[in-house]
Amino acid sequence: MDGNGRWAKQKLLNRISGHLKGVDAVREVVTACRELGIKILTLYAFSTENWKRPKDEVAALMGLLKEYLIKEGGEMLQNNIRLRAIGKIEDLPMDVQETLQETLKKTERCDGLVLNLALSYSGRSEIIHAVQRLLFESQLGKVKPEEVTLHRFSEYLWTRGIPDPDLLIRTSGEFRISNFSCGRWPIRRSM
Ligand code: FPP
């Protein structure tokens, strides 16, 4: 979900206005995915690196996330959208975690579009988290080194049960994958 700041700068607006417009775009994209019958939409909304942004911008983003969950939670249920979240959810402010958990619970029986939010996420922290859990289980004797296959490893990832993405869109138009863990490299297409 990048490019919000650049969009705002182009329009001589502040960065928060860019993020507000970004949330409008999220609503449109979620509706379009639902209408097109897309099964899973992952929004890489907030990276582990994003915590380094100015305090007021981080606070505004957390506020926008909470507001989005409150406003859209009911609609998700109505539209059979199941919310999921990946990332270091424990890093989020407590009130945002609570709202997120409520929405996850509320939509857990929905079986239409899966809307997966990557929050305080990075591909590397996902791998580290998986390795830590594996080592822990290995200490308990629950897993042997020779049992660690690609399939078994994927069971320890936050994306467990979610297939590799077929299409990766960087909304700003950039091509690097910026610490998003995806199974394939992006293909550069001429537009
Ligand atoms: C990237 O734009 C956007 C973000 C870092 C945050 C996006 C998150 C929200 C708007 C919070 C609400 C989330 C949802 C899912 C509703 P940028 O600031 O990096 O823009 P730039 O790349 O042009 O600088």
Side-chain angles (χ1 to χ4, degrees), residues 1-6 15 19 23 45 50 53 61 68 117:
M1 288 176 58
D2 59 345
N4 293 351
R6 277 166 274 180
R15 295 181 59 81
H19 293 314
V23 177
N50 286 154
R53 293 190 175 207
L61 287 170
Y68 174 80
L117 298 185

Side-chain angles (χ1 to χ4, degrees):
M1 288 176 58
D2 59 345
N4 293 351
R6 277 166 274 180
W7 180 90
K9 197 172 173 190
Q10 251 179 18
K11 304 255 178 291
L12 305 178
L13 298 168
N14 61 30
R15 295 181 59 81
I16 312 295
S17 309
H19 293 314
L20 273 166
K21 191 71 183 168
V23 177
D24 289 344
V26 166
R27 290 198 179 95
E28 274 180 52
V29 169
V30 171
T31 304
C33 285
R34 198 168 47 77
E35 288 173 358
L36 289 166
I38 290 187
K39 292 195 171 69
I40 303 173
L41 170 68
T42 294
L43 297 174
Y44 191 172
F46 196 88
S47 70
T48 45
E49 290 80 14
N50 286 154
W51 292 112
K52 293 182 203 134
R53 293 190 175 207
K55 260 190 180 167
D56 54 347
E57 187 176 349
V58 170
L61 287 170
M62 292 299 129
L64 282 175
L65 174 61
K66 185 174 169 185
E67 195 184 300
Y68 174 80
L69 292 169
I70 293 172
K71 278 195 187 160
E72 303 296 314
E75 286 224 3
M76 284 181 204
L77 200 58
Q78 260 176 17
N79 293 320
N80 199 21
I81 296 173
R82 180 175 178 190
L83 187 73
R84 279 191 60 164
I86 56 172
K88 295 169 81 185
I89 304 304
E90 66 277 13
D91 288 352
L92 302 174
M94 203 41 90
D95 60 324
V96 180
Q97 283 189 47
E98 281 166 10
T99 310
L100 179 65
Q101 294 303 342
E102 277 166 28
T103 320
L104 290 170
K105 182 99 193 93
K106 188 153 73 179
T107 63
E108 72 184 353
R109 287 179 196 277
C110 296
D111 59 4
L113 172 72
V114 172
L115 174 60
N116 184 33
L117 298 185
L119 300 166
S120 194
Y121 174 88
S122 77
R124 286 178 190 176
S125 49
E126 177 169 25
I127 294 165
I128 288 169
H129 179 261
V131 171
Q132 283 175 341
R133 278 192 52 214
L134 251 173
L135 289 175
F136 181 70
E137 295 205 352
S138 135
Q139 276 175 344
L140 296 178
K142 287 189 180 171
V143 56
K144 297 191 190 86
E146 62 273 21
E147 288 170 354
V148 184
T149 57
L150 278 176
H151 175 74
R152 186 84 190 253
F153 189 71
S154 72
E155 298 279 303
Y156 290 82
L157 294 170
W158 286 319
T159 45
R160 179 173 189 259
I162 296 180
D164 291 340
D166 287 320
L167 176 67
L168 195 147
I169 301 170
R170 283 205 62 164
T171 47
S172 69
E174 283 191 48
F175 286 92
R176 60 198 171 84
I177 55 172
S178 192
N179 218 347
F180 180 67
S181 163
C182 74
R184 287 165 237 164
W185 290 101
I187 302 163
R188 182 182 273 266
R189 292 186 202 280
S190 49
M191 298 285 181

